[in-house]
mmCIF file of all heavy atoms in Angstrom:
data_model
loop_
_atom_site.group_PDB
_atom_site.id
_atom_site.type_symbol
_atom_site.label_atom_id
_atom_site.label_comp_id
_atom_site.label_asym_id
_atom_site.label_seq_id
_atom_site.Cartn_x
_atom_site.Cartn_y
_atom_site.Cartn_z
ATOM 1 N N ALA V 165 121.031 -29.096 112.583
ATOM 2 C CA ALA V 165 122.003 -28.671 113.546
ATOM 3 C C ALA V 165 123.041 -29.726 113.931
ATOM 4 O O ALA V 165 124.139 -29.420 114.330
ATOM 5 C CB ALA V 165 121.304 -28.157 114.872
ATOM 6 N N GLY V 166 122.735 -30.964 113.652
ATOM 7 C CA GLY V 166 123.639 -32.073 113.944
ATOM 8 C C GLY V 166 124.576 -32.435 112.824
ATOM 9 O O GLY V 166 125.349 -33.385 112.921
ATOM 10 N N ILE V 167 124.487 -31.727 111.678
ATOM 11 C CA ILE V 167 125.317 -32.013 110.508
ATOM 12 C C ILE V 167 126.559 -31.102 110.642
ATOM 13 O O ILE V 167 126.502 -29.949 110.456
ATOM 14 C CB ILE V 167 124.570 -31.755 109.200
ATOM 15 C CG1 ILE V 167 123.394 -32.694 109.096
ATOM 16 C CG2 ILE V 167 125.569 -31.938 108.019
ATOM 17 C CD1 ILE V 167 122.495 -32.442 107.849
ATOM 18 N N GLY V 168 127.682 -31.766 110.941
ATOM 19 C CA GLY V 168 128.863 -30.970 111.210
ATOM 20 C C GLY V 168 129.828 -30.731 110.050
ATOM 21 O O GLY V 168 130.754 -29.967 110.134
ATOM 22 N N VAL V 169 129.566 -31.422 108.923
ATOM 23 C CA VAL V 169 130.562 -31.302 107.752
ATOM 24 C C VAL V 169 130.245 -29.933 107.125
ATOM 25 O O VAL V 169 129.194 -29.359 107.162
ATOM 26 C CB VAL V 169 130.274 -32.436 106.773
ATOM 27 C CG1 VAL V 169 130.475 -33.810 107.410
ATOM 28 C CG2 VAL V 169 128.839 -32.397 106.173
ATOM 29 N N PRO V 170 131.349 -29.423 106.498
ATOM 30 C CA PRO V 170 131.133 -28.148 105.729
ATOM 31 C C PRO V 170 130.069 -28.282 104.687
ATOM 32 O O PRO V 170 129.971 -29.316 104.002
ATOM 33 C CB PRO V 170 132.611 -27.925 105.153
ATOM 34 C CG PRO V 170 133.487 -28.679 106.015
ATOM 35 C CD PRO V 170 132.721 -29.920 106.429
ATOM 36 N N ALA V 171 129.405 -27.168 104.493
ATOM 37 C CA ALA V 171 128.279 -27.174 103.528
ATOM 38 C C ALA V 171 128.358 -25.905 102.657
ATOM 39 O O ALA V 171 128.715 -24.795 103.146
ATOM 40 C CB ALA V 171 126.952 -27.250 104.212
ATOM 41 N N LEU V 172 128.017 -25.992 101.415
ATOM 42 C CA LEU V 172 127.809 -24.944 100.501
ATOM 43 C C LEU V 172 126.328 -24.882 100.063
ATOM 44 O O LEU V 172 125.859 -25.915 99.564
ATOM 45 C CB LEU V 172 128.712 -25.024 99.309
ATOM 46 C CG LEU V 172 128.515 -23.971 98.122
ATOM 47 C CD1 LEU V 172 128.814 -22.599 98.607
ATOM 48 C CD2 LEU V 172 129.317 -24.340 96.924
ATOM 49 N N VAL V 173 125.667 -23.767 100.288
ATOM 50 C CA VAL V 173 124.236 -23.656 99.822
ATOM 51 C C VAL V 173 124.258 -22.634 98.672
ATOM 52 O O VAL V 173 124.604 -21.512 98.830
ATOM 53 C CB VAL V 173 123.386 -23.112 100.978
ATOM 54 C CG1 VAL V 173 121.952 -22.907 100.482
ATOM 55 C CG2 VAL V 173 123.414 -24.053 102.142
ATOM 56 N N VAL V 174 123.891 -23.152 97.486
ATOM 57 C CA VAL V 174 123.873 -22.342 96.296
ATOM 58 C C VAL V 174 122.432 -22.073 95.877
ATOM 59 O O VAL V 174 121.621 -22.991 95.816
ATOM 60 C CB VAL V 174 124.655 -23.091 95.110
ATOM 61 C CG1 VAL V 174 124.678 -22.256 93.865
ATOM 62 C CG2 VAL V 174 126.033 -23.532 95.561
ATOM 63 N N LYS V 175 122.218 -20.802 95.630
ATOM 64 C CA LYS V 175 120.763 -20.419 95.483
ATOM 65 C C LYS V 175 120.493 -19.500 94.204
ATOM 66 O O LYS V 175 121.293 -18.534 94.019
ATOM 67 C CB LYS V 175 120.215 -19.684 96.672
ATOM 68 C CG LYS V 175 118.724 -19.382 96.639
ATOM 69 C CD LYS V 175 117.951 -20.682 96.535
ATOM 70 C CE LYS V 175 116.477 -20.462 96.236
ATOM 71 N NZ LYS V 175 115.784 -21.779 95.880
ATOM 72 N N GLY V 176 119.496 -19.801 93.487
ATOM 73 C CA GLY V 176 119.008 -18.936 92.470
ATOM 74 C C GLY V 176 118.022 -17.892 93.055
ATOM 75 O O GLY V 176 116.913 -18.364 93.453
ATOM 76 N N PRO V 177 118.337 -16.652 93.087
ATOM 77 C CA PRO V 177 117.440 -15.628 93.750
ATOM 78 C C PRO V 177 116.109 -15.527 93.087
ATOM 79 O O PRO V 177 115.105 -15.017 93.720
ATOM 80 C CB PRO V 177 118.249 -14.314 93.586
ATOM 81 C CG PRO V 177 119.697 -14.709 93.379
ATOM 82 C CD PRO V 177 119.585 -16.020 92.638
ATOM 83 N N ARG V 178 115.934 -15.954 91.822
ATOM 84 C CA ARG V 178 114.639 -15.859 91.136
ATOM 85 C C ARG V 178 113.842 -17.078 91.364
ATOM 86 O O ARG V 178 112.719 -17.181 90.724
ATOM 87 C CB ARG V 178 114.891 -15.614 89.662
ATOM 88 C CG ARG V 178 115.495 -14.275 89.330
ATOM 89 C CD ARG V 178 115.600 -14.071 87.781
ATOM 90 N NE ARG V 178 116.148 -12.799 87.453
ATOM 91 C CZ ARG V 178 116.256 -12.333 86.227
ATOM 92 N NH1 ARG V 178 115.850 -13.095 85.227
ATOM 93 N NH2 ARG V 178 116.808 -11.187 85.962
ATOM 94 N N ASP V 179 114.247 -18.007 92.073
ATOM 95 C CA ASP V 179 113.527 -19.245 92.340
ATOM 96 C C ASP V 179 112.313 -19.040 93.174
ATOM 97 O O ASP V 179 112.469 -18.726 94.404
ATOM 98 C CB ASP V 179 114.492 -20.328 92.885
ATOM 99 C CG ASP V 179 113.854 -21.659 93.053
ATOM 100 O OD1 ASP V 179 112.689 -21.816 92.617
ATOM 101 O OD2 ASP V 179 114.464 -22.547 93.625
ATOM 102 N N GLU V 180 111.171 -19.183 92.633
ATOM 103 C CA GLU V 180 109.954 -19.084 93.499
ATOM 104 C C GLU V 180 109.349 -20.455 93.750
ATOM 105 O O GLU V 180 108.307 -20.594 94.479
ATOM 106 C CB GLU V 180 108.915 -18.125 92.799
ATOM 107 C CG GLU V 180 109.428 -16.687 92.678
ATOM 108 C CD GLU V 180 108.234 -15.770 92.253
ATOM 109 O OE1 GLU V 180 107.148 -16.024 92.530
ATOM 110 O OE2 GLU V 180 108.680 -14.762 91.510
ATOM 111 N N TYR V 181 109.892 -21.464 93.068
ATOM 112 C CA TYR V 181 109.440 -22.846 93.292
ATOM 113 C C TYR V 181 109.882 -23.308 94.680
ATOM 114 O O TYR V 181 109.115 -23.895 95.465
ATOM 115 C CB TYR V 181 109.980 -23.717 92.166
ATOM 116 C CG TYR V 181 109.254 -25.026 92.006
ATOM 117 C CD1 TYR V 181 107.900 -25.100 91.920
ATOM 118 C CD2 TYR V 181 110.022 -26.204 91.838
ATOM 119 C CE1 TYR V 181 107.260 -26.344 91.759
ATOM 120 C CE2 TYR V 181 109.384 -27.460 91.646
ATOM 121 C CZ TYR V 181 108.036 -27.503 91.553
ATOM 122 O OH TYR V 181 107.403 -28.729 91.381
ATOM 123 N N CYS V 182 111.202 -23.211 94.956
ATOM 124 C CA CYS V 182 111.699 -23.390 96.301
ATOM 125 C C CYS V 182 112.319 -22.047 96.747
ATOM 126 O O CYS V 182 113.364 -21.683 96.319
ATOM 127 C CB CYS V 182 112.816 -24.488 96.262
ATOM 128 S SG CYS V 182 112.226 -26.148 95.908
ATOM 129 N N PRO V 183 111.625 -21.308 97.527
ATOM 130 C CA PRO V 183 111.945 -19.901 97.691
ATOM 131 C C PRO V 183 113.314 -19.661 98.435
ATOM 132 O O PRO V 183 113.825 -20.612 99.110
ATOM 133 C CB PRO V 183 110.830 -19.420 98.539
ATOM 134 C CG PRO V 183 110.146 -20.596 99.149
ATOM 135 C CD PRO V 183 110.374 -21.678 98.221
ATOM 136 N N VAL V 184 113.754 -18.441 98.250
ATOM 137 C CA VAL V 184 115.046 -18.080 98.844
ATOM 138 C C VAL V 184 115.048 -18.300 100.343
ATOM 139 O O VAL V 184 116.090 -18.701 100.940
ATOM 140 C CB VAL V 184 115.440 -16.592 98.434
ATOM 141 C CG1 VAL V 184 116.591 -16.121 99.289
ATOM 142 C CG2 VAL V 184 115.663 -16.523 96.933
ATOM 143 N N ASP V 185 113.966 -18.011 100.977
ATOM 144 C CA ASP V 185 113.898 -18.141 102.476
ATOM 145 C C ASP V 185 114.177 -19.554 102.927
ATOM 146 O O ASP V 185 114.817 -19.764 103.975
ATOM 147 C CB ASP V 185 112.492 -17.779 102.997
ATOM 148 C CG ASP V 185 112.279 -16.258 102.915
ATOM 149 O OD1 ASP V 185 113.216 -15.542 102.650
ATOM 150 O OD2 ASP V 185 111.052 -15.828 103.043
ATOM 151 N N TRP V 186 113.802 -20.521 102.105
ATOM 152 C CA TRP V 186 114.103 -21.978 102.492
ATOM 153 C C TRP V 186 115.613 -22.161 102.509
ATOM 154 O O TRP V 186 116.169 -22.789 103.427
ATOM 155 C CB TRP V 186 113.486 -22.895 101.453
ATOM 156 C CG TRP V 186 112.035 -23.050 101.524
ATOM 157 C CD1 TRP V 186 111.134 -22.277 102.289
ATOM 158 C CD2 TRP V 186 111.196 -23.970 100.810
ATOM 159 N NE1 TRP V 186 109.876 -22.708 102.118
ATOM 160 C CE2 TRP V 186 109.843 -23.710 101.187
ATOM 161 C CE3 TRP V 186 111.437 -24.940 99.880
ATOM 162 C CZ2 TRP V 186 108.799 -24.427 100.632
ATOM 163 C CZ3 TRP V 186 110.472 -25.651 99.365
ATOM 164 C CH2 TRP V 186 109.087 -25.458 99.733
ATOM 165 N N ALA V 187 116.305 -21.689 101.441
ATOM 166 C CA ALA V 187 117.801 -21.861 101.366
ATOM 167 C C ALA V 187 118.452 -21.137 102.498
ATOM 168 O O ALA V 187 119.376 -21.693 103.073
ATOM 169 C CB ALA V 187 118.248 -21.429 99.993
ATOM 170 N N ARG V 188 118.049 -19.941 102.735
ATOM 171 C CA ARG V 188 118.709 -19.219 103.882
ATOM 172 C C ARG V 188 118.488 -19.838 105.195
ATOM 173 O O ARG V 188 119.359 -19.844 106.013
ATOM 174 C CB ARG V 188 118.167 -17.734 103.845
ATOM 175 C CG ARG V 188 118.564 -16.896 102.673
ATOM 176 C CD ARG V 188 118.351 -15.424 102.934
ATOM 177 N NE ARG V 188 118.717 -14.617 101.844
ATOM 178 C CZ ARG V 188 120.065 -14.165 101.732
ATOM 179 N NH1 ARG V 188 120.924 -14.529 102.660
ATOM 180 N NH2 ARG V 188 120.407 -13.361 100.688
ATOM 181 N N GLU V 189 117.308 -20.317 105.401
ATOM 182 C CA GLU V 189 117.092 -21.040 106.658
ATOM 183 C C GLU V 189 117.930 -22.273 106.797
ATOM 184 O O GLU V 189 118.469 -22.530 107.908
ATOM 185 C CB GLU V 189 115.546 -21.440 106.770
ATOM 186 C CG GLU V 189 115.224 -22.145 108.063
ATOM 187 C CD GLU V 189 113.787 -22.635 108.151
ATOM 188 O OE1 GLU V 189 113.213 -22.935 107.013
ATOM 189 O OE2 GLU V 189 113.246 -22.722 109.233
ATOM 190 N N ILE V 190 118.081 -23.067 105.780
ATOM 191 C CA ILE V 190 118.912 -24.218 105.783
ATOM 192 C C ILE V 190 120.341 -23.856 106.048
ATOM 193 O O ILE V 190 121.034 -24.455 106.944
ATOM 194 C CB ILE V 190 118.801 -24.981 104.398
ATOM 195 C CG1 ILE V 190 117.444 -25.629 104.280
ATOM 196 C CG2 ILE V 190 119.921 -26.014 104.315
ATOM 197 C CD1 ILE V 190 117.134 -26.189 102.890
ATOM 198 N N ALA V 191 120.849 -22.779 105.419
ATOM 199 C CA ALA V 191 122.237 -22.325 105.670
ATOM 200 C C ALA V 191 122.394 -21.873 107.136
ATOM 201 O O ALA V 191 123.491 -22.026 107.744
ATOM 202 C CB ALA V 191 122.619 -21.169 104.717
ATOM 203 N N GLU V 192 121.409 -21.249 107.713
ATOM 204 C CA GLU V 192 121.468 -20.782 109.015
ATOM 205 C C GLU V 192 121.440 -21.884 110.112
ATOM 206 O O GLU V 192 122.068 -21.875 111.105
ATOM 207 C CB GLU V 192 120.407 -19.755 109.348
ATOM 208 C CG GLU V 192 120.524 -18.446 108.622
ATOM 209 C CD GLU V 192 119.293 -17.557 108.739
ATOM 210 O OE1 GLU V 192 118.283 -18.009 109.372
ATOM 211 O OE2 GLU V 192 119.304 -16.429 108.204
ATOM 212 N N LEU V 193 120.703 -22.999 109.760
ATOM 213 C CA LEU V 193 120.537 -24.068 110.663
ATOM 214 C C LEU V 193 121.845 -25.011 110.632
ATOM 215 O O LEU V 193 122.125 -25.605 111.638
ATOM 216 C CB LEU V 193 119.269 -24.893 110.347
ATOM 217 C CG LEU V 193 118.041 -24.189 110.687
ATOM 218 C CD1 LEU V 193 116.780 -25.074 110.089
ATOM 219 C CD2 LEU V 193 117.814 -24.026 112.176
#
């Protein structure tokens, strides 16, 4: 929440090693 710089989160939907939910949570935070 303290990172103010613009961010792009790129995600492979088939990734089960680091699941999609992790990436979505990071993008939301």
